[in-house]
Amino acid sequence: MNDFRTAGHAAVDLLADYLGGLPEGPVWQEMDPAARERLLTLPLPQRGRGLPELVADIGADVLPYPMGNGHPRFFGWVNAAPAPAGVLATMAAAAMNPSSAGGDHADVHLERTVVRWIAELAGFPHLPGAGLLTSGASMATIVALGTARSRAARQLGVDVREEGLAALPQLVGYVSAETHSCVRKAVELLGLGSRSLRTVPTDPAGHLDPAALRLRVKADRAAGLHPFLAVASAGTVNTGAVDDLAAIADVCAEEGLWLHVDGAYGAFGLLDPVIADRYTGLDRADSLALDPHKWLGVPVDCGCVLVRDPVELRGTFSLVPSYLRDENAGGLGWFSEYGIEQTRPFRSLKVWATIAASGREGIASDVAHCTAMARRLGELVAAEPELQLMAPVESSIAAFRFAPDGVSDELLEQVNSALSVEVQRRGRTFVTGTLLNGHEAVRACLINPAVTEADLAVLVQEVRAAGADLLAGLSAS
Ligand SMILES: *Cc1c(COP(=O)(O)O)cnc(C)c1O
């Protein structure tokens, strides 16, 4: 173990330098073509090398080319800077390397606790066994919607696990155009077909319209279909819009639909008292998908699914005959009875470390800082004649576009469709692009609590400069 100790110290030094040095370097840079080629064509080593050499290779060939998340001026997609406590915990978890499928070891009990903590942070009611950590929200969504499908089938007198979909009438679910694509993926995988999803209209800011939902459900029922699911967003990826969860929960209660809330990006926004009201009704969902690897900064991967009814969840996935159930841990059995994975990584340690390093108050103040900075960005954009804010800033995402006066619509769309890549290429900040109400736009997602007002000024300046360059280039051609 002496090798490990020496190389391990070197690795920690390397990572401390890496993390500490991030703000000084470019946010992102295109990979040096030779370095890229080197990584792509690495031959299978015939002989082993020592740990110190491997650590040196990581420093030379890998760390210089990050995705960019970790830098305070990275605002792309929904990708977080890793919490240092989570980074260290990842190393310890790998050293223990259990399978968190079940049993009586520290990791399993810690997972019960961090799932309970996550539920408490999100203000979601939690019974023991009513949730688990997953690879991300996509997997959390598959688990949640699989559970919704089981319940719907059971109510129709069908055991979908045994009889399959052929025994079921047409189930239909409701989403909006702003619903994350992982919902459609889950519905496709569950064999329901994406045609079983109805897209309910949204208002201009991107909120699912609860009245329209009610009408669609009634119409589908009248047509002999079986509405079973509605998906609401607690923070959309494009604009951070939080749906009217209470009104949607009312419709679901009236119509007997399973309410799934996608809180992957935004659910933890409710920790900010300034915007907490927007989340009223979240606690009425039947299931909630979360991503500790986003706003909480837990190193990837870590999603979480929470359900109201642990019996329904276990009934959907458990393949252990009841007479073999392990009655340890209060009769909760194994995590592998609650989801898809059998061998499961020790995710709970990095969640524990990340939450424990900040405490509830620290997390809440980080979240509040991000939403305040996002609102400030909204003001800076609104004050800039060349920029146009595309939606109100509701949580911590600002969507906007470069739109100086006197430029044709067509040219504006061309400029804005190239804008995010041009900003990224310049290396001083990083935004990603999207399509909003038919317009090309860029969006900045603020989930790194290290962001400052000075960073926002650079962001605005870079978008303007990149936009002006693109406009000049396109006008000349
Ligand atoms: C990121 C995200 C997802 C997908 O989660 P993964 O962790 O990437 O699998 C789903 N919904 C929303 C709103 C997201 O932000």
Side-chain angles (χ1 to χ4, degrees):
M1 279 298 114
N2 271 343
D3 258 15
F4 180 81
R5 191 181 309 278
T6 312
H9 285 154
V12 168
D13 284 340
L14 190 65
L15 295 183
D17 290 345
Y18 166 78
L19 292 170
L22 279 176
E24 313 322 320
V27 179
W28 170 81
Q29 58 185 333
E30 211 174 306
M31 282 198 71
D32 164 43
R36 186 194 298 128
E37 198 56 23
R38 218 167 32 249
L39 292 181
L40 279 170
T41 58
L42 279 175
L44 174 69
Q46 296 302 319
R47 294 214 182 77
R49 276 146 50 76
L51 294 184
E53 286 77 32
L54 300 184
V55 171
D57 285 352
I58 292 170
D61 296 336
V62 180
L63 292 178
Y65 302 103
M67 177 181 177
N69 52 324
H71 195 292
R73 286 196 302 276
F74 179 92
F75 304 106
W77 304 288
V78 190
N79 292 94
V87 175
L88 289 179
T90 298
M91 194 189 247
M96 288 184 80
N97 203 32
S99 167
S100 299
D104 183 19
H105 23 108
D107 50 294
V108 174
H109 305 307
L110 208 48
E111 182 159 342
R112 298 273 178 217
T113 285
V114 300
V115 169
R116 174 170 53 79
W117 285 5
I118 291 166
E120 200 173 325
L121 285 172
F124 193 74
H126 183 63
L127 292 172
L132 75 169
L133 301 179
T134 60
S135 56
S138 299
M139 182 59 85
T141 303
I142 292 171
V143 170
L145 300 197
T147 311
R149 189 189 67 170
S150 290
R151 185 181 77 172
R154 194 167 44 67
Q155 289 171 345
L156 289 160
V158 173
D159 178 350
V160 72
R161 296 186 60 178
E162 192 172 321
E163 300 172 68
L165 292 167
L168 278 176
Q170 178 69 57
L171 299 177
V172 289
Y174 302 83
V175 296
S176 82
E178 294 298 311
T179 303
H180 192 276
S181 58
C182 73
V183 170
R184 175 169 169 181
K185 218 184 238 187
V187 163
E188 290 177 2
L189 276 172
L190 288 164
L192 299 169
S194 57
R195 255 193 282 167
S196 70
L197 285 180
R198 303 276 183 270
T199 304
V200 177
T202 44
D203 66 15
H207 305 102
L208 186 148
D209 177 350
L213 170 65
R214 184 180 278 111
L215 290 176
R216 279 309 292 266
V217 173
K218 289 194 188 303
D220 284 335
R221 217 187 278 293
L225 305 173
H226 289 270
F228 84 111
L229 166 76
V231 179
S233 301
T236 61
V237 170
N238 273 337
T239 64
V242 179
D243 284 338
D244 185 343
L245 303 172
I248 296 170
D250 285 344
V251 176
C252 289
E254 283 165 32
E255 296 289 342
L257 305 189
W258 179 286
L259 173 58
H260 174 71
V261 173
D262 182 352
Y265 146 64
F268 296 113
L270 60 61
L271 291 166
D272 174 9
V274 176
I275 64 167
D277 278 358
R278 297 189 197 285
Y279 294 85
T280 303
L282 179 122
D283 56 349
R284 293 170 61 193
D286 293 289
S287 55
L288 174 62
L290 295 143
D291 255 341
H293 67 205
K294 288 179 174 163
W295 216 337
L296 293 188
V298 172
V300 172
D301 66 358
C302 190
C304 179
V305 56
L306 299 173
V307 296
R308 179 169 299 279
D309 181 354
V311 177
E312 199 78 68
L313 176 65
R314 192 177 186 178
T316 300
F317 294 99
S318 175
L319 264 179
V320 182
S322 53
Y323 55 86
L324 281 183
R325 277 186 181 167
D326 171 6
E327 296 307 318
N328 278 337
L332 292 177
W334 285 40
F335 279 109
S336 51
E337 293 178 58
Y338 294 77
I340 292 166
E341 295 163 300
Q342 181 62 37
T343 302
R344 304 174 67 250
F346 187 2
R347 297 187 180 102
S348 59
L349 194 62
K350 60 191 176 184
V351 180
W352 165 80
T354 301
I355 295 178
S358 295
R360 189 188 210 284
E361 286 173 14
I363 293 170
S365 96
D366 284 350
V367 165
H369 176 68
C370 290
T371 70
M373 284 289 109
R375 287 190 294 277
R376 181 74 190 119
L377 176 59
E379 289 166 10
L380 294 175
V381 166
E384 229 21 277
E386 290 182 336
L387 300 180
Q388 179 188 1
L389 193 62
M390 300 297 279
V393 177
E394 278 188 35
S395 42
S396 76
I397 292 175
F400 54 103
R401 65 175 189 157
F402 182 70
D405 284 341
V407 181
S408 75
D409 287 347
E410 194 192 335
L411 198 48
L412 280 186
E413 296 305 327
Q414 276 181 303
V415 168
N416 281 282
S417 75
L419 189 53
S420 62
V421 170
E422 179 59 17
V423 169
Q424 292 166 15
R425 198 190 57 74
R426 296 163 64 98
R428 297 187 66 212
T429 185
F430 195 111
V431 291
T432 45
T434 192
L435 206 56
L436 272 178
N437 298 328
H439 294 296
E440 295 284 347
V442 296
R443 53 177 285 295
C445 175
L446 283 70
I447 52 171
N448 183 346
V451 65
T452 63
E453 234 182 287
D455 296 322
L456 302 183
V458 173
L459 168 60
V460 168
Q461 183 194 332
E462 285 294 291
V463 171
R464 287 183 58 200
D469 275 3
L470 286 167
L471 185 58
L474 283 163
S475 305
S477 65

